Amino acid sequence: MKFSFAKQRRGKLYGGYVLFFVLFCLLTYGVYWLFGYSLISTHDVLHQHVPIMIEYRKILLSWLHHLSAGPLQWSWHIGLGADAFQTFSYYIIGDPFAYLILLFNKVHLLTGFQLIGLVRMFFAGLSFTYFASHFSLKRWAIWLGAMVYLSSGFAIYASLFQPFFVNALILLPLLITAIEVVLQGRSAWGFGFVVYFSVVVNFYLAFMLALGGITYLILRWSELPHPLARQRWFNFGRMLCSGVLGLLATAWLTLPEIKALQSSPRFDVPFASGMHFYSLQYYLSLPNALLGNVNVDPFWLNTLSVNVLLLVVVWTFRHHRDYKLIVRLMVLTTVLSLLPMFAATLNGFTSPSNRWLFLMSLPMALMTGVFLQQLKTMTLSDWVPIFKWAAIILVLILISTQIIADSTSTVLPQLFFLMVYAGVFVVGTVRPQLLKPQVLSALVMANIFVAFNFENAAYDIHQFLPNGAAKALISQPYGTATTAVATQPTWAEQNGTKVSKYAPTFARTSNVSNYVTASAGITPNNFLLNGANTSSFYSIQNGAAIQFSRDLLNNQRQLNLPIQQFDDRGRVLNFLGVRDLYVNSPLPSDTNMPHNYVPTFGETPDLNQSFYGANGDVQAYQTTDNFPLMYFQSRVISNQTYEQLDDNEKEANLANVTAVNDTKNLKVTKLQPQSVVIPYKMYDADQNIISTTNIADTNKSDTYTLYIPNAKQYQGMEIRALITNVHYTEPTLTDRINIDKLNSPGINGHLSSGSNQTAAHGGWDAFKRDVANGSPNQAWRISMTNGDITNSLSQMPETNLSEYEKTTAGVLNLGWVDQMPNGLSMQLGQVGRYSFDLQLVGIPMTTQYDKQVQRLQKNGLKKLRLGHNEITGSVTTKQSGVLASSIPYSAGWHATVNGHTVKLIKTNRAFAGIKLTKPGKQKIKLTYRTPGLTAGIHFTAIVGGLIAVLGIAQLGWHLFKRKKD
């Protein structure tokens, strides 16, 4: 295929594309609006993308009104506090479409967000249209190719769940075009600009675009006549220089991002999730990808949604001499799809995600247009070998999906459209009117309509919020309860209790772990519009937060959600400064309420006032034991001592001491045990005493009982289960099937009146079920129950590409007990062999603890002020100690005491602190500057100056040559 840059008029081409895009929107997103749904899904879009765009708009407007103050660099609205620039740069700062939100007022922000998503999709199709216009394709073939491009599995998923990923589909055609421009001896400036925008829009996807561009360059270079000629190398040198300049010009964004990634937990994971091969489920899904689908699972395996794909692929291979580059790309793609190590490498050397397959959307959509355009030239004899190979592949598809995966609801419409395509194409050899553009367009658009709306439960319409609910869930996740907490006196205040003069002026909020805000289930994130909240759900996280979670074995810890609600552990929430907790009303019986949090507007939970919430009524709970944001602590221990403590003792001593690396000139405290170890005996279902160090579990319904001798002596404490040294041996697929057969009704050939299933049939069903579930995998779960409260420690499966990390230990909060029950129960969530250590611990909430908290509150930073990228206040000390905090440590913080610069230290291995060795009044000031931002801006300015000089020099040279000629 010849890539031509001959001049042409594209007005009609772009005009026709606009009409096709409008029809595309009506057939896809229009269905959602028809039924009153928004394009805001109840997971990533609700929890990340919409709040980020709204918050960023607020930051921009504030900056524009106060230019002298500079942009906001530290935000208290991101979990415990985080670098706003580093967090937002992954999503939005370099995205030019995001700035369109400035055109919308507050009332229409959600409408603006959805329209911006459609604008991105429009430009993705427009970019393809521009790219395809360089080939010998008719306008209608280009339009259909653009529709196929927009309906790829990646495009549909991204537009609904990860909107900014669509930018990659805009940049990909421009990148390939820019490479081709230089290869043909034209200007290299465009290539540099594409490189620049690829990186600043999203550095993660830019890595994949770079690999795709390099692959295209190598394959295309091999096809050029005289590839080693001097001019070829000269063109390559120009491309390299332009690309390097474009890359260096991104330093204003990439340098701070590199600093952030050095501590980000997302990049501290096992390569390829420790996998050498995929599961059988994945390999059986590969043939189905050739049929065309809208799925991105497992492992982001994505292709086109139109079911003509199989015929296009076979036809392309049949004409491999004419389309060598495309065929080589297909073969290379097939090879790279076979092993996790390839996917992990292409995913930035992390998890084995096949997101990179979006790169194939471009050649596949282009070849679809080529294929449809040449249909009129084909005869019946041309179709025979195509149908022969297609039939072989189709048999594999039927075996893998119909029989093994049992996905009839997906396969039937795919097969139907494949048969319709085949029928129309064959009959079209004798009735050419069936191959007219109008007929083919109707067929392709009908296919897209069915694929988008019916072929994948992942895009079920019920995952999207009704138009009226989205705004309330984003701006008021706790309903009107937050307004009441801010404006109304508490029940205690109404009954004469005065607020302590030492009560912290800065307080965070959270919700209990089973708090439900949307139909998707429990909320896992921090809502940016709700003030300081403990939880945050972002791809770039401060490593300090995850460090604290790991040190205290937070079982809710995830790579994108380092804190969440910290398993409702009372002393930890106090330490983090959480004053207000929000719960659903009426209070569910399985709520694990931290002991020192009491009803805010009532004497008892039953009398606590309820407030309106978008997904049901809400109640507020409050504590007086919340720590100040910064406080003076005279009692310290070394990090070495801190690390030797078990995780419950670390929690129990948060108010007692602070851990620091260097204890010189500080008062080191000798610790006494703060928690109580509770002995137990464990019994299996047959009442045999067993040990957790060797459990061969063959039935997920088995329950183990922990008997507590002398339970009455353990009173007034929060119960913890400390689980360490977890080793899980997953059964092989054969072992898992045999286990399932043991639990099937057809064992030993006996029939069950309920199912009438033989053992052989039960084994076959077990095989299908285990394969469809991705067995074998490393996932396991250990659950423990105390009354109504059940808590679990689990290993994420390898298929969870964003959150997977190896889990070997954790602490389970089993709730407050006035008196310890005689027994607890345990269940294992996956069959297999388990070995772990289990210790039951009680953490009392005593008056001694209350006094420790009151001492810290009294020593809190006075006149605390959270300014623009700074914190100020004062504290008076009588002895040496440390100014401790719950501010996540970052190299961007700089501290002064009484106007003198001092070294910032880490407290409790995760938070910002200052050593104070001189008594007296200390004026404290902390200033924050995004690490690498200033240097990056200066470097970008230098590169920009160099680019300007080179551009002027080149322009001068051309003018000189033109004048001379």
Side-chain angles (χ1 to χ4, degrees), residues 486-557:
T487 59
Q488 296 181 19
T490 66
W491 182 87
E493 291 168 353
Q494 294 173 23
N495 287 271
T497 302
K498 294 183 179 180
V499 178
S500 169
K501 66 179 182 178
Y502 299 120
T505 55
F506 172 85
R508 295 186 175 98
T509 64
S510 188
N511 50 264
V512 290
S513 295
N514 66 346
Y515 181 74
V516 177
T517 63
S519 58
I522 300 170
T523 176
N525 71 308
N526 167 35
F527 293 78
L528 290 172
L529 305 184
N530 196 54
N533 191 285
T534 59
S535 191
S536 62
F537 182 26
Y538 307 103
S539 293
I540 301 296
Q541 294 282 358
N542 186 317
I546 200 79
Q547 180 65 55
F548 180 66
S549 248
R550 285 171 174 165
D551 281 349
L552 270 68
L553 292 183
N554 176 13
N555 73 312
Q556 289 186 331
R557 180 190 77 246

Side-chain angles (χ1 to χ4, degrees), residues 647-948:
D647 306 275
N648 289 302
E649 281 295 314
K650 289 174 184 174
E651 175 185 352
N653 279 285
L654 285 172
N656 185 31
V657 294
T658 296
V660 296
N661 184 50
D662 181 11
T663 60
K664 185 178 180 180
N665 299 323
L666 299 175
K667 179 182 178 181
V668 178
T669 301
K670 187 175 182 179
L671 297 179
Q672 297 296 325
Q674 302 285 312
S675 57
V676 179
V677 177
I678 302 172
Y680 67 89
K681 294 180 180 179
M682 179 177 287
Y683 296 87
D684 64 14
D686 297 324
Q687 299 303 305
N688 299 312
I689 296 179
I690 62 170
S691 169
T692 60
T693 57
N694 188 13
I695 301 178
D697 191 72
T698 59
N699 192 333
K700 288 190 286 187
S701 63
D702 282 346
T703 298
Y704 304 87
T705 302
L706 280 73
Y707 169 68
I708 315 297
N710 304 316
K712 292 183 179 180
Q713 74 183 53
Y714 305 107
Q715 299 179 355
M717 56 184 61
E718 283 188 345
I719 305 302
R720 303 280 191 270
L722 174 60
I723 302 172
T724 55
N725 301 317
V726 180
H727 295 281
Y728 169 72
T729 304
E730 73 246 38
T732 65
L733 184 59
T734 301
D735 290 339
R736 191 177 290 271
I737 292 167
N738 289 332
I739 291 170
D740 281 351
K741 286 172 65 176
L742 288 175
N743 299 316
S744 73
I747 186 170
N748 298 324
H750 296 296
L751 298 179
S752 166
S753 59
S755 64
N756 293 329
Q757 187 181 55
T758 65
H761 193 185
W764 177 246
D765 280 350
F767 174 69
K768 292 195 296 181
R769 183 170 56 252
D770 289 330
V771 169
N773 290 334
S775 298
N777 61 58
Q778 302 174 29
W780 52 262
R781 185 174 69 254
I782 302 170
S783 299
M784 299 198 64
T785 301
N786 172 28
D788 292 327
I789 296 172
T790 297
N791 208 342
S792 300
L793 178 68
S794 61
Q795 170 64 64
M796 286 280 186
E798 305 93 315
T799 51
N800 192 320
L801 302 175
S802 296
E803 307 291 356
Y804 178 84
E805 66 172 329
K806 193 69 175 176
T807 300
T808 59
V811 170
L812 303 183
N813 178 14
L814 299 178
W816 175 266
V817 294
D818 293 318
Q819 179 176 299
M820 188 72 185
N822 291 323
L824 308 174
S825 62
M826 182 184 76
Q827 280 192 314
L828 304 178
Q830 295 290 340
V831 296
R833 185 170 295 278
Y834 291 78
S835 173
F836 56 92
D837 297 324
L838 172 62
Q839 186 179 67
L840 290 182
V841 176
I843 299 182
M845 301 293 274
T846 61
T847 55
Q848 179 186 4
Y849 172 73
D850 292 332
K851 290 178 180 179
Q852 290 173 349
V853 174
Q854 290 166 9
R855 174 174 58 84
L856 298 181
Q857 290 177 342
K858 187 177 180 180
N859 291 335
L861 205 62
K862 304 299 185 293
K863 297 180 180 180
L864 174 69
R865 178 180 170 273
L866 304 182
H868 189 75
N869 300 324
E870 69 176 24
I871 304 170
T872 58
S874 63
V875 65
T876 302
T877 62
K878 297 181 179 179
Q879 56 186 316
S880 63
V882 296
L883 190 65
S885 78
S886 57
I887 303 169
Y889 180 87
S890 168
W893 284 114
H894 305 273
T896 63
V897 177
N898 294 327
H900 300 287
T901 300
V902 296
K903 181 182 178 182
L904 199 73
I905 64 172
K906 279 187 180 181
T907 59
N908 294 322
R909 297 200 342 133
F911 302 101
I914 302 173
K915 244 186 183 184
L916 299 176
T917 56
K918 296 181 180 179
K921 186 174 182 179
Q922 322 273 358
K923 291 183 179 179
I924 308 297
K925 183 176 182 180
L926 270 68
T927 305
Y928 189 81
R929 295 189 296 273
T930 297
L933 180 58
T934 301
I937 291 173
H938 290 161
F939 192 81
T940 294
I942 294 171
V943 175
L946 178 60
I947 292 172

